[in-house]
Amino acid sequence: MLALSIVAPHGANIASGKKTLEVRSWLPPSLPIRDLLIVENGRYLSADHPVEPAGRAVALVDVEEAHEWQPDEVLAACSGGWEPGYFAWRLSNVRPVVDGPVVPAQRKLYEVDGSGVLGAHCGYNRAGQRNRHRPMGCSPWRVLSEVVRWPHSPFDTAQSKLGVSSMYRDGAPCWIAGAGRCLQDFQLLEFIQKRL
C-alpha cells in the first residue's frame, strides 16, 4: 500500500479531522489515491536523512484532488503561514488507525506492507473476530473484506447480499442498511456481522 510521512503533530491532526489539506511542493503522480497510509514521524526528512525507522501509522485517507495552495487555506492545512508555489492535497474519507504499528517514515510517496497495519488495528483480529478492547478505526469495507476474505472491494456483494449501500448526507459518508437507516461505522459492522 502507498504511504506518506507527516511530521508530528500533523499526522494526528489528519487522523482527528482537524487537518484536511496536506501541503507539498510536488503533485502526486496520479489521482485519486485510495487508502493512503499516513505515517507520523518526529522530524523532517531530507536527502541526508531520508528514512526514520520509528514512524507510526495513524490514519488511512483518500486524496481526491490537488490544486495550487491558496492563502485562505492556511487553517485547513494547520499551517503557520502561506507561501506561493505549493500544492494542497485534499484529504477525504479519513479513517484513524488506532494504536497503529511502527512503520518506517520515508520521503515522497512510498510502498509499505499493509498487512501489519490493518486487521487487529481496525478492531478485528486476524481470524475476523471483533476485538472488543479496541475501538473501531478503519473503513467498514476494509473490515468486511478481511472478515469474509473477499480479494477485492466487497461493495457490490455487500449491496446485493447484505442489503448495504453507501451515500453522502450533508457532505459526510452515510452507510444505509435495512429500511433506509443511516448507520455509523460501528453500527454497520454489527449489522454486517448479524448477516454473515
Side-chain angles (χ1 to χ4, degrees), residues 32-187:
I33 301 172
R34 303 276 186 241
D35 297 328
L36 176 65
L37 179 65
I38 301 299
V39 176
E40 188 174 70
N41 56 298
R43 63 179 169 83
Y44 287 98
L45 302 176
S46 66
D48 294 334
H49 302 284
V51 177
E52 182 179 328
R56 182 152 311 267
V58 295
L60 289 168
V61 303
D62 295 340
V63 181
E64 297 295 334
E65 61 95 18
H67 58 271
E68 287 187 24
W69 190 31
Q70 301 300 312
D72 63 349
E73 296 177 319
V74 170
L75 189 60
C78 293
S79 178
W82 178 83
E83 289 185 37
Y86 286 87
F87 299 97
W89 300 16
R90 186 162 311 282
L91 308 177
S92 64
N93 193 22
V94 177
R95 290 142 288 158
V97 176
V98 178
D99 296 331
V102 171
V103 177
Q106 297 180 33
R107 299 178 74 209
K108 303 284 186 179
L109 290 171
Y110 61 101
E111 288 284 337
V112 297
D113 177 8
S115 62
V117 176
L118 304 173
H121 300 287
C122 295
Y124 281 79
N125 64 24
R126 296 274 180 236
Q129 299 162 331
R130 177 79 185 268
N131 183 343
R132 301 216 180 265
H133 301 291
R134 290 183 193 269
M136 301 313 295
C138 287
S139 160
W141 302 120
R142 174 76 63 189
V143 175
L144 183 58
S145 293
E146 291 188 5
V147 170
V148 299
R149 303 294 187 261
W150 283 319
H152 303 291
S153 172
F155 178 78
D156 294 333
T157 306
Q159 188 171 18
S160 63
K161 291 188 177 179
L162 302 175
V164 175
S165 62
S166 69
M167 64 175 286
Y168 281 82
R169 280 195 185 161
D170 301 323
C174 174
W175 308 104
I176 306 298
R181 293 185 303 144
C182 183
L183 305 179
Q184 296 179 14
D185 285 0
F186 75 93
Q187 293 171 315

